Amino acid sequence: MIRASAELTNTFALKSIAPYAADLTTLDEARQAIRYAREQGLTLRTLGEGSNVVLLPQVKGLVCRVLNTGVTVIGMDEQYVSIEVGAGKNWHELVSQTLAERWYGLENLALIPGSVGAAPVQNIGAYGVELEEFLESVTVIRADGSVQVLPTSACALGYRDSMFKRHFVATAEPLIIFSVRLRLYRQPRVNLSYTELEKMLVAQSRHSQPTPQEVAKAVIALRQSKLPDPAQFANAGSFFKNPVIDGSVAQRLQRLGVEPYPFQGHFKASAARLIDLSGWKDVRHGALGCWPQQPLVLVNYGGGTAQDLLSFAQQIQRSVQEKFQLELELEPSVVS
Ligand code: EPU
């Protein structure tokens, strides 16, 4: 089960090697991996599809990938269906499968790269919806091999944040996300709160309310028009978070042409706009560049290293800091 010296897959196409790696399909295999790491004194970490990480050339310890992909119905009533999904399931495959089953809610999250197990780590979100809305619980395996079902309230989800993300940064203690429980609607209920999505659907639709399938189609079209396909242009989606700011900073930025928008009692500034106004929109340094249609996405055009990427990102951060006195925070996790 344990392999020595494994190359790690990641959508940034960064060369990265771990001394040990393991694929885990069952709870038992996960427990064995935890035991092995403890006995050998290795750090254990899990990676999904590597779509939201910057992997350094040498990653320490035992790197595990959870491969269980089952989708099981746990409960159902008139309004809701609860499903348990293996952490290894591809996120977009799940979105397509739920729509085919007529279970609704995930359509705005169509085409987000990555695995189901990684979804709560980032509290993935797009086009007015965050995972949080549909997450019931996360089943994890702890360092002592015990299985725990964490309700959403225990996951401390925030904007692209969770206790998992903080745990992985702060401690070497193993924590394996094994499956995720979601509660979806059984009746169509579409979310068109994202203006651009609503505009696109109103322009297309002949009837007043679009179907969830139409929403998914529109989201896919929007993403494809703006975001580079990682299979063609290596990237990890948004590289920075949109800064959350208070009213006085929002006013200051408004005067500089940024147009912040309300967010949970505060304001958010579009990082894409800040980067764009700082002159980085079409910039390319060697293998690294900003994606012209969405400069918040950094692209490795071929052969770039983690160091190249982080130093390119740092230059962007410095420009934005100088021009707007704002700090851009990295969205992906840096793994060493
Ligand atoms: N913009 C510019 N210049 C550009 C392109 C965009 O100024 O060249 C500005 C525009 O003002 C535009 C704004 O950026 O209105 C917003 O662009 P977009 O709709 O792509 O949203 P975003 O805030 O940049 C966030 C998420 C995305 C998610 C979209 C849609 C973060 C960090 N990113 O991007 O998530 O898909 O909203 O909901 O919150 C990801 O996390 O990897 C990701 C792609």
Side-chain angles (χ1 to χ4, degrees):
M1 188 180 76
I2 314 276
R3 305 190 302 278
S5 184
E7 208 166 302
L8 303 174
T9 341
N10 62 101
T11 61
F12 252 130
L14 300 170
K15 285 226 157 46
S16 178
I17 291 190
Y20 302 95
D23 289 341
L24 315 174
T25 309
T26 62
L27 277 172
D28 228 38
E29 286 175 347
R31 289 202 188 94
Q32 278 176 45
I34 289 176
R35 205 175 316 126
Y36 182 84
R38 193 179 49 236
E39 284 165 7
Q40 304 294 319
L42 301 170
T43 332
L44 180 150
R45 67 171 81 245
T46 42
L47 273 187
E49 295 177 17
S51 61
N52 208 39
V53 285
V54 177
L55 300 180
L56 295 190
Q58 305 285 339
V59 167
K60 285 194 293 282
L62 169 60
V63 178
C64 297
R65 189 160 165 189
V66 178
L67 292 185
N68 65 323
T69 57
V71 179
T72 314
V73 175
I74 300 297
M76 200 184 278
D77 62 19
E78 288 278 294
Q79 272 188 299
Y80 299 107
V81 56
S82 287
I83 55 173
E84 179 94 26
V85 188
K89 176 97 177 161
N90 172 269
W91 176 263
H92 181 68
E93 264 178 35
L94 175 70
V95 175
S96 309
Q97 192 173 330
T98 57
L99 276 175
E101 295 280 2
R102 302 185 191 203
W103 301 333
Y104 305 116
L106 303 183
E107 48 280 352
N108 298 49
L109 305 177
L111 214 61
I112 294 184
S115 65
V116 166
V121 179
Q122 288 293 318
N123 184 23
I124 56 170
Y127 303 105
V129 173
E130 277 186 342
L131 177 74
E132 191 168 5
E133 216 183 298
F134 299 98
L135 187 70
E136 272 193 337
S137 61
V138 179
T139 301
V140 299
I141 308 164
R142 294 281 189 183
D144 62 359
S146 63
V147 177
Q148 247 181 10
V149 179
L150 301 173
T152 307
S153 58
C155 299
L157 301 181
Y159 165 53
R160 294 298 196 279
D161 198 20
S162 69
M163 77 86 171
F164 304 110
K165 195 169 177 182
R166 279 170 262 156
H167 174 99
F168 297 140
V169 173
T171 132
E173 194 186 303
L175 177 71
I176 299 177
I177 296 177
F178 197 72
S179 61
V180 165
R181 196 173 289 191
L182 302 170
R183 190 179 74 155
L184 305 177
Y185 302 126
R186 295 196 58 214
Q187 311 301 330
R189 193 188 308 189
V190 297
N191 179 331
L192 300 181
S193 60
Y194 203 87
T195 318
E196 207 180 346
L197 180 64
E198 197 229 14
K199 275 193 193 143
M200 183 168 177
L201 281 157
V202 167
Q204 277 174 7
S205 186
R206 279 141 291 141
H207 33 269
S208 52
Q209 189 74 317
T211 64
Q213 285 80 0
E214 285 169 332
V215 173
K217 226 172 135 189
V219 166
I220 290 169
L222 266 179
R223 291 188 74 94
Q224 285 175 338
S225 71
K226 284 190 184 190
L227 301 170
D229 174 2
Q232 271 188 316
F233 298 99
N235 76 88
S238 299
F239 199 82
F240 303 102
K241 291 195 201 180
N242 289 325
V244 177
I245 54 180
D246 65 27
S248 60
V249 179
Q251 273 181 11
R252 179 169 63 78
L253 293 181
Q254 184 76 40
R255 290 193 290 273
L256 297 170
V258 176
E259 297 177 20
Y261 48 93
F263 174 76
Q264 295 175 358
H266 303 271
F267 291 88
K268 250 189 197 176
S270 158
R273 185 108 191 102
L274 297 167
I275 295 169
D276 189 353
L277 291 171
S278 302
W280 286 88
K281 195 177 165 77
D282 297 312
V283 174
R284 188 165 158 181
H285 287 177
L288 273 306
C290 286
W291 186 246
Q293 284 89 316
Q294 173 44 300
L296 185 53
V297 177
L298 305 192
V299 174
N300 177 7
Y301 287 96
T305 65
Q307 205 189 348
D308 297 336
L309 174 62
L310 293 173
S311 90
F312 185 69
Q314 227 170 44
Q315 293 177 58
I316 296 174
Q317 284 170 311
R318 249 184 249 131
S319 293
V320 169
Q321 177 69 44
E322 274 164 25
K323 193 167 168 73
F324 299 102
Q325 286 79 57
L326 263 191
E327 195 186 329
L328 286 184
E329 197 186 318
L330 256 54
E331 211 231 70
S333 306
V334 179
V335 180
S336 57

